[in-house]
C-alpha cells in the first residue's frame, strides 16, 4: 500500500509527498487503517489532524459504513473523503461509452489485439521493425517531419480502467501503428505456431479492418481527447475547485459542439482513412439490417447513415455529456 501525504506548508503552499510503502497481508479496511495509523504514529503524526482522505472507488475504501474512509471519520470528523476526480472521470467516460454496443466491441477487440501482440516477444519485435521501416519510408518521401524527439518507436499501450488516460493513449498508439499492426497480424495468420493463434489473429484482423472499428476508433479518439485536457488538469497539485468546475463546463461545451457539428467531419476522416487502406465503406443510403447472419426485428427501417450517426455517434456523445 502506497501512502502519500498532502499538506499545506508554513508559507501556505500546497505540498504533496510520497511518504511510505507498506506491505499488507489483507486489503480489508481494518487492516489498512491499522497500517496507516502505525506509520503515522511512528512519525508523531496525529490522526486528529487529518483533514481529508482520497482513495479509489473500491468498496473497502469508500464504503459508507465499514470502508476505510468511514473508519477514519469515526475518529476524526474532519477527515472528509473525496473519490479522486480524475479517477472518476476515467471510469465514467469508459463505462458509459461501452453501453453502446459497437463501442464495447471496439474496446473488447482492442484488448484482444494488444494481448495477442504483447504476449509474444517475437511479435513485439516484429511490430518495432515494421514501425521503423515505415518511419524510414515516410521520411524518404518527405511525408514525415524529422527532429529531436520525433518519430519515436513506441509500443501498444494497454488500456486500464483505473489508469488515467490509458484508453486515450491506447487509441493514439493504435492510430500511429495501424498499418504495422495489420502486417504483424497477417504474419501470425500465415505463420502462427498454433491453429488457435492463427484463428485468433484472423478474427482480430477481420474486425479491426472493418468500417465499424475505424469509425469508433476515430470517434473515441476525439471524445477522449476532449476529456484528456480535463483529466490532466484534475491531477494538478494546485488545482482549485472553481477552476475545475469551469474546466468541466468547457469540456461539456466542446462535446456539445462535437455532437452538433462533428458528424460530417468525422465521417469524412473515416472515409479517407478507409479508402487509403482499402477498407470497404458501406453505402449510407441503403437500409440497415441489424445483426450478423440473421435479421433482428426492426420496428422502422433505417438507413446505414441513420444507424451510424444516431445509434452510434449521437448515442455515445450524449452519454458522455449526460454523465
Amino acid at each position: 500500500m502506497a501512502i502519500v501525504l498532502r499538506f499545506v506548508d508554513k508559507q501556505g503552499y500546497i505540498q504533496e509527498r510520497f511518504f511510505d510503502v507498506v506491505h499488507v497481508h489483507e486489503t480489508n479496511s481494518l487492516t489498512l487503517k491499522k497500517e496507516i495509523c502505525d506509520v503515522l504514529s511512528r512519525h508523531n503524526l496525529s490522526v486528529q489532524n487529518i483533514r481529508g482522505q482520497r482513495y479509489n472507488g473500491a468498496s473497502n475504501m469508500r464504503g459508507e459504513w465499514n470502508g476505510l474512509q468511514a473508519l477514519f471519520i469515526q475518529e476524526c470528523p474532519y477527515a472528509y473523503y473525496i473519490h479522486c476526480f480524475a479517477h472518476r472521470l476515467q471510469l465514467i467516460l469508459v463505462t458509459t461509452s461501452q453501453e453502446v454496443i459497437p463501442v464495447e466491441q471496439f474496446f473488447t477487440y482492442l484488448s484482444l489485439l494488444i494481448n495477442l501482440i504483447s504476449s509474444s516477444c517475437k511479435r513485439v519485435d516484429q511490430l518495432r521493425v515494421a514501425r521503423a521501416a515505415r518511419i524510414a519510408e515516410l521520411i524518404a518521401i518527405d511525408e514525415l517531419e524529422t527532429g529531436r524527439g520525433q518519430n519515436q518507436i513506441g509500443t501498444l499501450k494497454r488500456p486500464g480502467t483505473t489508469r488515467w488516460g490509458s484508453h486515450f493513449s491506447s487509441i493514439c498508439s493504435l492510430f500511429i501503428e495501424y498499418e504495422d499492426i495489420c502486417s504483424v497480424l497477417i504474419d501470425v495468420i500465415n505463420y502462427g505456431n498454433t491453429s488457435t493463434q492463427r484463428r485468433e489473429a484472423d478474427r482480430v484482423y477481420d474486425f479491426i479492418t472493418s468500417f465499424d472499428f475505424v469509425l469508433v476508433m476515430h470517434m473515441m479518439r476525439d471524445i477522449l481527447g476532449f476529456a484528456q485536457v480535463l483529466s490532466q488538469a484534475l491531477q494538478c497539485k494546485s488545482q482549485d475547485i472553481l477552476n475545475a468546475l469551469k474546466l468541466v463546463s468547457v469540456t461539456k461545451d466542446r462535446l456539445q459542439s462535437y455532437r452538433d457539428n462533428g458528424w460530417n467531419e468525422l465521417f469524412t476522416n473515416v472515409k479517407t482513412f478507409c479508402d487509403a487502406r482499402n477498407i470497404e465503406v458501406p453505402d449510407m443510403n441503403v437500409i440497415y439490417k441489424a445483426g450478423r447472419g440473421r435479421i433482428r426485428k426492426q420496428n422502422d427501417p433505417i438507413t446505414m447513415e441513420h444507424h451510424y450517426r444516431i445509434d452510434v455517434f449521437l448515442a455515445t456523445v450524449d452519454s458522455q455529456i449526460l454523465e
Side-chain angles (χ1 to χ4, degrees), residues 84-222:
C84 174
F85 288 125
H87 185 228
R88 291 166 63 185
L89 178 67
Q90 165 78 4
L91 290 173
I92 204 66
L93 288 175
V94 175
T95 303
T96 55
S97 64
Q98 290 184 353
E99 291 178 2
V100 180
I101 291 176
V103 179
E104 191 274 335
Q105 290 175 330
F106 168 83
F107 282 114
T108 297
Y109 275 90
L110 178 59
S111 296
L112 287 174
L113 168 65
I114 294 172
N115 289 335
L116 184 65
I117 293 179
S118 301
S119 62
S120 167
C121 294
K122 177 183 176 182
R123 289 193 282 275
V124 171
D125 287 340
Q126 283 179 318
L127 182 58
R128 287 175 177 164
V129 170
R131 179 62 186 158
R134 185 168 296 277
I135 289 173
E137 178 185 338
L138 293 174
I139 291 174
I141 59 177
D142 294 327
E143 288 193 10
L144 200 63
E145 294 183 1
T146 58
R148 184 170 182 175
Q150 291 187 326
N151 307 320
Q152 298 293 314
I153 299 174
T155 58
L156 274 173
K157 307 285 195 307
R158 188 181 300 276
T161 305
T162 59
R163 295 204 309 276
W164 297 312
S166 61
H167 286 75
F168 180 64
S169 298
S170 295
I171 295 173
C172 288
S173 61
L174 177 61
F175 255 98
I176 294 171
E177 303 182 34
Y178 184 84
E179 287 88 350
D180 310 315
I181 291 168
C182 289
S183 67
V184 172
L185 288 176
I186 291 172
D187 185 79
V188 177
I189 293 169
N190 293 327
Y191 308 109
N193 293 330
T194 66
S195 59
T196 302
Q197 279 184 359
R198 295 193 292 272
R199 284 197 308 270
E200 186 77 355
D202 185 68
R203 183 162 67 99
V204 173
Y205 178 83
D206 182 57
F207 192 80
I208 73 168
T209 55
S210 67
F211 177 82
D212 289 51
F213 184 89
V214 174
L215 174 70
V216 175
M217 179 173 67
H218 279 76
M219 179 181 68
M220 292 309 300
R221 182 186 64 168
D222 292 343

Side-chain angles (χ1 to χ4, degrees), residues 1 3 22-38 55 60-61 68 71-72:
M1 174 175 59
I3 300 176
V22 182
H23 178 71
V24 291
H25 296 283
E26 295 182 76
T27 58
N28 62 66
S29 56
L30 286 172
T31 300
L32 298 180
K33 179 177 182 294
K34 178 181 180 301
E35 295 293 345
I36 292 175
C37 289
D38 289 346
Y55 316 120
N60 63 329
M61 309 302 280
L68 178 60
L71 297 180
F72 272 115

Side-chain angles (χ1 to χ4, degrees), residues 44-59:
N44 297 318
L45 296 172
S46 172
V47 171
Q48 296 301 319
N49 290 330
I50 295 176
R51 292 297 179 267
Q53 308 175 71
R54 185 159 65 176
Y55 316 120
N56 61 28
S59 59

Side-chain angles (χ1 to χ4, degrees), residues 253-263 313-314 317 321:
D253 290 342
R254 294 183 69 187
L255 283 169
Q256 186 65 47
S257 177
Y258 183 66
R259 180 196 189 279
D260 297 337
N261 309 304
W263 168 253
F313 174 71
L314 291 184
V317 180
I321 294 173

